[in-house]
Amino acid sequence: GPAEMQGPHWVFCAAQWQECSCGGRVRWGNKETWSIIKPKKEGKVLDVKCNIQALQDIIPGDDGKHCQCEVTPGTKFYEGINPLKQTDEVAEKRGAKLVASCELFERGKDDGAWSKAQWEAVEPFCTGDWEQRVAKHDKLLKAGDRKIDLPTMRKLMRARVDPRFLSTYEKLFEPSGRRKGWAPRAFVNYFAGSPEGKHAKMTEELVRSVHAFSTEPIVVVHFGMSTSEKLNPEEFPRLVLLHAEPIGHTLHRSFNFNKLRAFLMARVMTGIGLDSDQFVAPGVDRLFESTEREITEDYPLAIMPVHFLDRGPKDLGVWWERYCPDKVCSLQTLRWGHAHPSWTYWALPFIGRWLRKNFRDETLPKITGDTSAPALRVVEIPEDEDLLN
């Protein structure tokens, strides 16, 4: 609570195999077992690679190992961190306006077809009413023992705009005007990592390419501790930087499921998903036109670009038993695709449905008939690209 966060305290910084950037001490471990890493100089930002190759494996076999950062309210570092790691009072005082939340989604659900589609996508993450009204009466929607609880899922639907980008956000999304907090078109990216690390630098070059070769905005959703000052509205006037809560280590979900969260929280009517290791080229805006033409009420599915690799059972994965019960993979209906979807708001329920199946630990039923295939527990699909395919 706010009272206990007035003095120095530890906050989640990075899961195992990620990088923690902290303006104080970092601790590595889990539960009651920790190793403390101190900055070489007081006030110096400390970058720590949170993995057993860089740090001692103090809890062998524990997949919940992670890094925490010690933050002190009132310090310069604390004032600049992800506002979702601060109290609501501090975040609001900073000007980090709340732009995505269950309350906002529900309040706007009747604003238009786009907001109605979004509420259909996010309602299971937001309200117990969906459990009682829908899931309770359908055995195919039964949640497993690895489900994420409702209060946590509600937290994972929150995002705040970086105060530096508030005017850009209000110009592009018009939250008090006719757009009701929605942008007509935008690229959407997600990332975390050290402000001086490779992911931050790649993200900067991605944003630069959008400003060079597109006329559309880009929404970057940040899930880490702090961002580079090089991502600023002066250099990138069509960038909107949002901050969101990371998926905690106790949830045992891949960082890359933040991609689907970003798509749901960005509130763009037509979106193109971009990873930080990509950049765009001249002519890219034609993709928005084709996306709007093809993804409609009659075809409410996201579209993924074809992968240069065509994956199959030889590539392993628990899902192949289901989709390739025979030599010809008769239940696999599409070639493997890259997890860089384009979508319109009509496809948001599709995106929300598959993230829900993972977060609630649902199981796809076994297939019987002329072709039979085993059931598939969705939480055992480890990555976003696997899930979308």
Side-chain angles (χ1 to χ4, degrees), residues 21-269:
S21 182
C22 178
R25 298 188 301 169
V26 171
R27 66 180 186 181
W28 154 254
N30 195 17
K31 298 177 182 176
E32 304 302 319
T33 305
W34 299 97
S35 173
I36 304 291
I37 304 108
K38 298 180 180 179
K40 293 180 179 179
K41 187 178 179 182
E42 189 72 27
K44 181 85 171 171
V45 172
L46 181 62
D47 290 328
V48 177
K49 289 182 170 62
C50 305
N51 63 64
I52 57 175
Q53 295 173 349
L55 302 171
Q56 183 183 356
D57 189 358
I58 59 174
I59 323 174
D62 186 331
D63 65 352
K65 289 189 289 288
H66 62 286
C67 282
Q68 294 185 356
C69 170
E70 187 178 44
V71 296
T72 304
T75 62
K76 183 179 178 181
F77 179 78
Y78 182 78
E79 295 303 320
I81 65 172
N82 183 333
L84 273 296
K85 294 182 181 293
Q86 300 170 327
T87 65
D88 285 347
E89 182 182 6
V90 171
E92 291 289 337
K93 190 175 180 181
R94 277 179 65 189
K97 180 178 179 177
L98 189 69
V99 296
S101 71
C102 289
E103 292 81 4
L104 287 172
F105 300 153
E106 185 170 17
R107 196 181 310 147
K109 65 182 180 181
D110 297 320
D111 288 342
W114 50 91
S115 52
K116 181 180 178 182
Q118 186 192 41
W119 181 244
E120 182 183 338
V122 302
E123 186 183 9
F125 306 104
C126 289
T127 172
D129 180 59
W130 181 87
E131 291 277 353
Q132 296 299 316
R133 195 181 75 252
V134 181
K136 187 177 179 180
H137 305 288
D138 188 343
K139 64 180 181 180
L140 298 181
L141 298 180
K142 182 180 179 182
D145 58 13
R146 287 180 60 188
K147 70 176 181 180
I148 300 175
D149 63 66
L150 185 61
T152 301
M153 289 199 295
R154 287 178 60 86
K155 284 176 62 179
L156 295 179
M157 287 292 111
R158 286 163 52 89
R160 291 183 179 274
V161 64
D162 188 291
R164 297 171 297 162
F165 293 86
L166 181 58
S167 62
T168 308
Y169 168 79
E170 291 181 337
K171 176 184 175 183
L172 295 173
F173 287 77
E174 295 182 3
S176 302
R178 60 186 176 86
R179 291 179 179 167
K180 306 280 189 179
W182 286 76
R185 292 175 170 180
F187 300 96
V188 180
N189 165 264
Y190 74 110
F191 89 107
S194 165
E196 302 302 321
K198 70 174 184 178
H199 286 97
K201 291 175 181 177
M202 288 192 297
T203 303
E204 181 188 342
E205 294 308 315
L206 165 63
V207 173
R208 194 182 309 281
S209 75
V210 168
H211 282 73
F213 301 123
S214 170
T215 61
E216 303 294 349
I218 177 168
V219 178
V220 172
V221 187
H222 170 244
F223 293 93
M225 282 294 294
S226 56
T227 56
S228 169
E229 293 182 1
K230 294 177 182 177
L231 288 178
N232 62 74
E234 291 74 34
E235 187 164 1
F236 301 119
R238 283 181 281 114
L239 167 64
V240 174
L241 178 62
L242 305 183
H243 297 277
E245 185 92 18
I247 296 176
H249 67 285
T250 59
L251 303 181
H252 301 286
R253 301 304 200 276
S254 166
F255 172 82
N256 293 315
F257 286 116
N258 287 319
K259 176 187 295 184
L260 304 186
R261 290 176 58 207
F263 295 168
L264 294 175
M265 293 188 291
R267 304 183 96 185
V268 299
M269 294 186 185

Side-chain angles (χ1 to χ4, degrees), residues 315-367:
D315 298 299
L316 305 180
V318 295
W319 55 88
W320 290 116
E321 286 185 35
R322 180 180 178 86
Y323 296 101
C324 294
D326 46 37
K327 291 183 179 180
V328 295
C329 289
S330 58
L331 296 180
Q332 182 185 3
T333 58
L334 288 172
R335 182 186 169 96
W336 194 266
H338 267 293
H340 311 310
S342 55
W343 71 94
T344 68
Y345 60 84
W346 293 112
L348 290 175
F350 169 83
I351 295 168
R353 182 161 66 248
W354 285 101
L355 186 63
R356 182 205 79 211
K357 287 180 182 295
N358 181 284
F359 278 13
R360 292 186 69 252
D361 186 13
E362 297 176 20
T363 297
L364 304 181
K366 65 181 180 180
I367 298 170

